[in-house]
Amino acid sequence: YLNRDLSKVILLDTHPEHVATHPENSIVVPKWTGNPGDKGLVAMIPFLESIGIYKPQDVRPILQAYEGKDVPLEYAKKEAEARERHIAEWKDKSRGLAAGGFTLSSLFGVTTDVGTPHSPIPPTYLEQKRAEAQRQYKDEQAYIASHKAEFDKLLEEDRQAMAKEMSGSLWGVLDGMAGKKPVEDAKKTAEGGDAQGKK
């Protein structure tokens, strides 16, 4: 119905029957009960964000791997495991450089503790992209706030133009959509014709 590539579609719903035609594209989330502290949808953001960042060829195998599980919780575990691997790899690489590689401190005879890298842990690819998106969002919000008067003016001009177009009667609008001349224009044309005939 949406005419979208289903390999790129994720449907969130609270009723399994609503997604019965495409369960492989769906995540069934708990229904909101009115609790203002409910963070069910907010908790989905990191998972959906990672899909948007990594742009998998097909989302369906990923959704299948999470079927029947608490998606936010399971995803948080996987992201934490990935970060631990990232830190371990970074430490191994740092130790290797310090132990066998040429460093500025070794040139001057300064010894360093090989077991503990001193530079800060670099962010993962996901963390970098997440930070970029957050910066971009903040920049956009700042731009909107600083140009609020201009945007308000444009919106008001659009509203007035639409109101002017829609100011005729319902029949006039329908006639306009059908390509017919409004009744007033037809009258003026007819009156102009009569006046010319009388002359």
Side-chain angles (χ1 to χ4, degrees):
Y1 289 133
L2 292 174
N3 192 27
R4 297 288 186 274
D5 177 0
L6 289 175
S7 69
K8 305 286 183 271
V9 172
I10 297 177
L11 170 62
L12 289 125
D13 206 300
T14 55
H15 297 284
E17 61 270 21
H18 292 174
V19 299
T21 56
H22 295 88
E24 67 279 8
N25 287 90
S26 309
I27 299 173
V28 178
V29 295
K31 189 176 180 181
W32 187 59
T33 58
N35 176 9
D38 186 336
K39 299 284 189 288
L41 285 177
V42 173
M44 289 295 302
I45 290 174
F47 173 75
L48 296 172
E49 192 176 49
S50 70
I51 296 280
I53 288 169
Y54 286 110
K55 297 177 174 56
Q57 194 170 359
D58 193 335
V59 298
R60 290 168 290 193
I62 296 168
L63 297 182
Q64 191 175 11
Y66 284 91
E67 190 177 2
K69 297 175 182 175
D70 182 331
V71 176
L73 184 64
E74 290 301 316
Y75 175 75
K77 287 179 189 173
K78 291 191 185 301
E79 190 174 323
E81 288 166 8
R83 176 154 177 76
E84 283 173 17
R85 285 195 302 273
H86 170 76
I87 293 169
E89 287 169 12
W90 170 77
K91 283 181 177 176
D92 288 345
K93 193 184 286 185
S94 298
R95 283 193 195 101
L97 285 171
F102 174 81
T103 61
L104 186 63
S105 56
S106 68
L107 178 67
F108 295 103
V110 179
T111 57
T112 57
D113 179 9
V114 173
T116 311
H118 296 289
S119 59
I121 297 166
T124 63
Y125 174 77
L126 183 63
E127 289 168 339
Q128 288 174 41
K129 291 296 178 186
R130 192 174 278 154
E132 282 173 24
Q134 288 169 353
R135 276 195 301 273
Q136 186 178 349
Y137 173 77
K138 285 178 181 175
D139 289 347
E140 286 170 357
Q141 292 301 305
Y143 180 83
I144 290 166
S146 65
H147 293 78
K148 186 178 183 302
E150 295 167 44
F151 291 137
D152 286 347
K153 185 182 175 186
L154 288 170
L155 286 169
E156 181 59 23
E157 286 171 2
D158 283 349
R159 190 192 65 75
Q160 287 178 7
M162 283 178 67
K164 192 175 179 181
E165 284 176 24
M166 300 298 283
S167 62
S169 67
L170 176 60
W171 296 114
V173 171
L174 293 173
D175 284 345
M177 289 169 67
K180 296 177 185 176
K181 285 187 175 181
V183 176
E184 288 300 316
D185 287 354
K187 270 187 190 173
K188 284 177 186 172
T189 305
E191 286 169 5
D194 288 347
Q196 284 175 4
K198 285 174 184 174
K199 286 180 185 175

